[in-house]
Amino acid sequence: MADSCLGPLISKASSPSLLLHSPPQLLFPFSSFPKPIPKHLVLSMTSLQCSSSPSSISNSSPRPSQPSLLVFSGGTAFNGVVEELKKLTTSVAHVLPVSDDGGSTAEIVRVLGGPAVGDIRSRCLRLSDQSSAEALAVRRLLGHRLPLDPQDSKSQWYDIVGGEHSLWKGVSRPYSETIRAFLVYFQNEILRRPNESFCFSNGSIGNFFFAGARIFFQSLDAAIFLFSRVSDIPAESLVLPVISTNDRLTLGCELWDGTIIRGQNEISHPTSGTMQHIDKGCSSVPALPSRIKRVFYMSNEGGNSLHEVFPMVNASVLDRLSNVDCIVYAMGSLFTSVCPSLVTFLIRCF
């Protein structure tokens, strides 16, 4: 059934990360194309690279249109590719899961609910403008993380939300007033929940801004639009949640021994339920008791397979799928980065 909906999910090419899906053609990673490389992709990449060279510019040779891509990925591993990819094309739709429940995102979801915004914020920052001093200042502000110490992080947060921190240096008044308005709104939402003590430790200012915008507009898509404009992302670069929702989503998995694990972070970085800072740059994590059989979405009320839910894929993702030259299944965690997106298409098929 999966093959009929998505194309074959296992490639016979030499690179295990390259999955076949035709049409359109697949691209990733650049260094591990199956041989021979599809001719139209060679021509597209060559012409783009040549057109960027001053010696090749000619009035009689107009710049060819950019190849359009759609990328399925998580928010961390593919980020390192984004800067290089922008040299090839900015016409990219980044499809990201909204089920992350680790770090700063986990605390926001715990207290305020809603979908996880960390992966989306991370990709938006990577796509943001860096061409001016102010653009870099805005990127530095929204990319800032508070200290790990709870008291230090809370003190620094109050300086930032009050407009007194040095991070505001270089941010003009229109930008600072816009950003601060949603940071203040986020703070007010926390204060409205006196029974929940919010921990600012290692908190992401970009996540707080994003969460404030989402709650204000009651729309994840509207929050992405605002963040994209504030960080001046190219109009043809899209960041799309695979599920367009204002509700909290929980990822679960079933192991081959029958064990059910609840929560994306517990699948990829098991902590046995303990609260601790996760270093995603470290590959040394405890092994699961058994191999993963499948992943699925769960309701917030339960912890077994009887509480499985079936969210619908974002219609904007479906629209883009039929209008791109290339689909990329990116590197990263297969079960917590790529599968959370692909499983929504399987649900649609059934």
Side-chain angles (χ1 to χ4, degrees):
M1 192 62 171
D3 283 2
S4 64
C5 299
L6 296 174
L9 295 183
I10 302 297
S11 170
K12 295 181 181 180
S14 58
S15 170
S17 64
L18 186 65
L19 309 181
L20 299 182
H21 187 304
S22 179
Q25 296 296 318
L26 279 183
L27 169 62
F28 192 78
F30 300 118
S31 61
S32 56
F33 269 118
K35 306 298 190 285
I37 300 175
K39 183 177 180 181
H40 77 279
L41 289 180
V42 175
L43 294 174
S44 295
M45 289 188 289
T46 302
S47 59
L48 278 173
Q49 291 166 350
C50 291
S51 65
S52 64
S53 171
S55 61
S56 65
I57 297 177
S58 170
N59 293 331
S60 61
S61 301
R63 179 182 175 88
S65 60
Q66 298 184 94
S68 58
L69 282 67
L70 184 141
V71 178
F72 288 106
S73 73
T76 302
F78 192 72
N79 276 345
V81 181
V82 171
E83 296 296 334
E84 292 301 315
L85 187 60
K86 286 194 292 187
K87 298 175 184 178
L88 171 68
T89 178
T90 56
S91 181
V92 182
H94 300 263
V95 181
L96 296 162
V98 288
S99 52
D100 184 22
D101 57 359
S104 172
T105 300
E107 188 67 1
I108 294 172
V109 172
R110 182 185 70 83
V111 176
L112 301 178
V117 298
D119 287 347
I120 292 174
R121 181 268 315 161
S122 177
R123 186 59 48 81
C124 284
L125 277 177
R126 289 286 180 156
L127 294 168
S128 62
D129 181 39
Q130 302 179 63
S131 63
S132 68
E134 178 166 36
L136 290 172
V138 170
R139 178 170 172 148
R140 185 166 54 250
L141 170 67
L142 296 177
H144 181 71
R145 282 196 177 273
L146 300 174
L148 281 171
D149 181 78
Q151 291 302 319
D152 290 346
S153 62
K154 192 171 186 178
S155 175
Q156 190 176 112
W157 163 248
Y158 285 138
D159 285 344
I160 293 173
V161 78
E164 300 171 355
H165 197 277
S166 60
L167 282 168
W168 291 107
K169 184 178 181 180
V171 182
S172 65
R173 184 173 177 179
Y175 267 109
S176 63
E177 288 182 347
T178 301
I179 296 171
R180 277 193 63 206
F182 290 99
L183 294 180
V184 169
Y185 192 84
F186 173 79
Q187 173 69 10
N188 288 339
E189 287 298 306
I190 292 173
L191 295 176
R192 288 179 56 195
R193 292 160 173 81
N195 296 328
E196 297 286 351
S197 177
F198 189 90
C199 179
F200 291 96
S201 177
N202 201 43
S204 163
I205 301 303
N207 281 358
F208 298 163
F209 172 79
F210 215 117
R214 180 194 61 78
I215 297 171
F216 178 82
F217 292 115
Q218 287 296 296
S219 167
L220 179 58
D221 294 323
I224 294 173
F225 176 82
L226 175 66
F227 198 108
S228 299
R229 293 299 173 265
V230 166
S231 54
D232 200 14
I233 294 174
E236 64 273 17
S237 296
L238 303 178
V239 178
L240 302 173
V242 69
I243 302 166
S244 183
T245 179
N246 209 37
D247 298 322
R248 179 178 179 178
L249 289 173
T250 302
L251 190 70
C253 82
E254 179 183 0
L255 306 184
W256 280 101
D257 66 1
T259 302
I260 301 295
I261 298 179
R262 176 187 175 86
Q264 177 174 316
N265 216 51
E266 282 300 311
I267 299 171
S268 60
H269 299 80
T271 61
S272 302
T274 60
M275 294 295 294
Q276 63 184 60
H277 173 63
I278 301 297
D279 180 8
K280 293 189 176 181
C282 177
S283 59
S284 177
V285 295
L288 295 173
S290 179
R291 292 168 53 209
I292 294 175
K293 181 179 182 180
R294 69 186 185 104
V295 294
F296 55 93
Y297 288 98
M298 308 173 69
S299 71
N300 296 322
E301 288 74 28
N304 59 56
S305 58
L306 295 177
H307 294 89
E308 184 172 356
V309 295
F310 306 92
M312 295 298 294
V313 65
N314 186 351
S316 296
V317 176
L318 295 176
D319 290 341
R320 294 298 301 175
L321 272 173
S322 59
N323 292 285
V324 294
D325 301 315
C326 176
I327 297 174
V328 178
Y329 297 89
M331 78 277 272
S333 171
L334 173 64
F335 290 107
T336 58
S337 293
V338 178
C339 284
S341 294
L342 298 186
V343 72
T344 58
F345 291 91
L346 297 177
I347 291 170
R348 183 172 181 266
C349 291
F350 286 108

